[in-house]
Amino acid sequence: MTSISEKVIDKTGLKLHIVTTDKYKTNTLVWKMKAPLEKDTVTLRGLLPHVLQSNTKNYPTNTKLRTYLDDLYGASLYVDLAKKGEFHVMSFTIEIANEKFLTDPTSLLEKAFQILTEVLLQPNVTNNAFDSATVDKEKRTLKQRIQSIYDDKMKYSSVRLIEEMCKGESFELEANGIKDEVDSITPETLYRYYEKALNNDEIDLYIIGDVKEQEVVDLAERYIKLSDRPKGERVQHDRKQIDDVKEIKENQDVKQGKLNIGYRTNIYYGDEKYYPLQVFNGIFGGFSHSKLFINVREKASLAYYAASRLESHKGLLLVMSGIDNNNYDKAVSIIHEQMDAMKKGDFSEDELAQTKAVIKNQLLETIDVARGLVEVLYHNVIIGKNISLNEWMEKTDEVTREEIVDVAQSIELDTIYFLTGTKGE
């Protein structure tokens, strides 16, 4: 088993998560800001991180900021947006060399704190407004980013399934925001939202690397000044009643059909049933030895790809496949057959053992990089309780056939979405 020592320290306005390890040659800082996923704010949050990482008060152009990062032995700074169940999370990451491997003894960890907090707390602002040229540039880029989802039909069909399946729920929103709302954002409205987010978001700062705990605490106190904030809320999961299975067919000029199927599991990360659900997904469609891959893609030659994944904080199981436009009925039928087989416990001990091994290997591969480790640890912030990596792996090992069949019974078909070629193709 693998041991990860995470020390969590409550500070004013944020939680510090310190993971001391000599596994990586770099030190990584990840600043995460979590707020409810809402239509009124989703596009502002889609834009804000990109504006913040473009420049700062002391480095008022992107070139100056990036040149400074290059001077720090090629430090990297990047941002990310994600949906975690009903939450919208902005992440800011800086990776910097550990000076132990350099001849220069300057504390690069301090430099990392300095520049990360400058990006976040000293933005390029005049008269309560972000720099207008930066905002305009990032608005154009954001519209391209949102548009790119519609141009990539595999991504597009996944997004459309969620939109149809989760209509009326906040989860229907895309993490990058709504394209039609980008133009209405001004440097002033974005700055007002930035101040609100900084005062209200639940903030977690992860420091991963060969660091000394006290040094990290001292640096945080020196560079981070935040106000107290409301306690982060926890989502109450309501069981969704499915009266009728939705079936949506959309016609576009596509050569290859995209068949996406959504199920409700009503099981979430942190639930005891999550471990058997994860193994269920692995056998059903999660890996290359799964039923979907072998029966839909290999044996029946119906799909170019066929796989499934879990939305761990939303209680969804999603199937993605690419098929010929005229193979819709056959493909749907075979996917249903694989689900029925799982509900009946029609899988071998070898499949069960292989799936557990792959899940554990996947977890170990994820934590091979510092930001992957942060993503694994951040699950605990979302659910508000602490599950260690060892516990996750042990409970995966303990999953029985009966538990898998039991969770399979609770999985309900919700929506079938098919993106197909234009009529008469």
Side-chain angles (χ1 to χ4, degrees):
M1 288 295 173
T2 182
S3 179
I4 291 165
S5 162
E6 179 191 16
K7 181 74 180 283
V8 183
I9 301 169
D10 274 312
K11 308 298 286 180
T12 303
L14 89 162
K15 278 192 172 73
L16 273 183
H17 303 252
I18 306 168
V19 180
T20 305
T21 172
D22 58 7
K23 186 173 182 175
Y24 315 111
K25 285 203 163 65
T26 56
N27 290 328
T28 301
L29 280 67
V30 183
W31 174 290
K32 286 185 172 285
M33 298 177 70
K34 173 167 83 68
L37 181 60
E38 293 171 345
K39 188 173 187 293
D40 291 348
T41 60
V42 68
T43 313
L44 287 158
R45 292 177 79 84
L47 180 63
L48 180 58
H50 297 281
V51 169
L52 289 172
Q53 74 152 352
S54 287
N55 45 51
T56 69
K57 197 145 210 69
N58 291 326
Y59 301 96
T61 68
N62 190 249
T63 305
K64 285 181 177 171
L65 178 57
R66 296 290 156 180
T67 301
Y68 176 69
L69 288 166
D70 285 343
D71 290 344
L72 296 178
Y73 298 93
S76 59
L77 167 72
Y78 47 91
V79 298
D80 185 44
L81 289 142
K83 294 193 295 187
K84 301 282 184 187
E86 312 299 334
F87 292 114
H88 200 190
V89 180
M90 301 185 286
S91 300
F92 301 78
T93 301
I94 185 157
E95 284 186 85
I96 198 161
N98 187 326
E99 63 270 12
K100 289 182 181 181
F101 300 102
L102 304 170
T103 50
D104 183 352
T106 308
S107 173
L108 290 178
L109 182 63
E110 178 164 8
K111 298 279 186 190
F113 260 93
Q114 212 169 8
I115 195 61
L116 182 64
T117 52
E118 179 160 332
V119 164
L120 288 154
L121 308 177
Q122 297 169 51
N124 187 7
V125 170
T126 310
N127 299 326
N128 295 323
F130 282 107
D131 175 63
S132 58
T134 303
V135 172
D136 287 344
K137 175 179 168 289
E138 293 303 334
K139 279 165 68 173
R140 285 193 299 274
T141 308
L142 178 58
K143 285 197 283 188
Q144 288 164 4
R145 198 176 296 117
I146 297 169
Q147 182 60 41
S148 72
I149 294 165
Y150 295 87
D151 296 339
D152 178 336
K153 296 308 174 191
M154 196 187 287
K155 273 188 194 165
Y156 173 77
S157 53
S158 292
V159 166
R160 287 287 294 116
L161 172 69
I162 294 296
E163 284 176 352
E164 293 291 346
M165 188 176 177
C166 300
K167 228 171 223 171
E169 301 170 56
S170 60
F171 197 75
E172 72 176 314
L173 298 164
E174 215 286 309
N176 285 304
I178 301 159
K179 190 179 176 186
D180 291 346
E181 295 189 357
V182 176
D183 284 337
S184 64
I185 297 172
T186 66
E188 291 78 14
T189 57
L190 188 64
Y191 181 69
R192 280 201 297 277
Y193 182 71
Y194 157 78
E195 287 194 302
K196 186 182 169 190
L198 203 59
N199 287 319
N200 292 290
D201 275 22
E202 189 173 343
I203 298 177
D204 292 83
L205 175 57
Y206 290 81
I207 300 93
I208 315 271
D210 196 356
V211 296
K212 292 185 176 67
E213 187 183 308
Q214 192 54 52
E215 184 187 5
V216 170
V217 172
D218 292 346
L219 289 169
E221 284 174 357
R222 190 175 315 153
Y223 289 103
I224 303 170
K225 307 289 182 221
L226 294 172
S227 58
D228 264 330
R229 61 208 53 238
K231 193 168 170 56
E233 58 181 276
R234 301 279 160 248
V235 165
Q236 298 301 310
H237 297 297
D238 299 320
R239 190 178 182 90
K240 175 91 188 303
Q241 185 67 39
I242 301 167
D243 298 319
D244 294 301
V245 173
K246 287 191 258 186
E247 191 171 9
I248 292 104
K249 291 186 181 179
E250 185 175 335
N251 284 286
Q252 285 189 17
D253 186 10
V254 291
K255 296 271 187 296
Q256 185 193 103
K258 309 292 178 198
L259 172 61
N260 290 58
I261 301 179
Y263 301 85
R264 301 268 176 179
T265 68
N266 294 299
I267 297 168
Y268 306 86
Y269 183 85
D271 295 351
E272 278 304 312
K273 287 188 173 184
Y274 180 75
Y275 306 101
L277 177 67
Q278 216 184 4
V279 180
F280 168 97
N281 178 58
I283 299 172
F284 175 62
F287 304 120
S288 59
H289 65 269
S290 69
K291 289 189 176 298
L292 290 184
F293 189 89
I294 289 167
N295 293 293
V296 184
R297 185 179 181 274
E298 301 285 295
K299 283 187 186 170
S301 299
L302 279 178
Y304 302 96
Y305 60 91
S308 66
R309 67 181 179 86
L310 297 171
E311 276 290 349
S312 305
H313 296 286
K314 183 60 184 168
L316 307 181
L317 170 71
L318 307 171
V319 171
M320 304 77 67
S321 64
I323 62 173
D324 284 338
N325 292 317
N326 55 1
N327 280 340
Y328 173 78
D329 290 327
K330 275 190 212 163
V332 169
S333 174
I334 294 183
I335 291 167
H336 287 342
E337 283 169 20
Q338 307 320 306
M339 178 59 78
D340 289 342
M342 293 300 298
K343 286 179 187 277
K344 291 173 187 160
D346 181 10
F347 51 87
S348 69
E349 289 303 315
D350 281 350
E351 286 173 283
L352 181 54
Q354 187 179 1
T355 300
K356 288 179 181 181
V358 176
I359 289 170
K360 289 188 291 180
N361 283 339
Q362 205 176 51
L363 271 171
L364 292 172
E365 278 176 20
T366 302
I367 65 165
D368 262 348
V369 290
R371 59 183 180 276
L373 174 56
V374 170
E375 290 310 312
V376 168
L377 297 174
Y378 194 64
H379 283 304
N380 291 330
V381 172
I382 302 293
I383 63 170
K385 57 184 175 186
N386 188 36
I387 296 169
S388 71
L389 193 67
N390 279 353
E391 185 183 347
W392 190 345
M393 294 177 102
E394 282 164 10
K395 291 202 167 171
T396 299
D397 251 343
E398 291 163 4
V399 168
T400 65
R401 170 185 296 277
E402 291 71 30
E403 287 171 329
I404 295 168
V405 172
D406 177 53
V407 298
Q409 306 313 311
S410 70
I411 296 171
E412 295 178 274
L413 177 61
D414 185 303
T415 303
I416 301 172
Y417 170 83
F418 187 43
L419 178 65
T420 183
T422 48
K423 286 170 185 165
E425 183 183 62

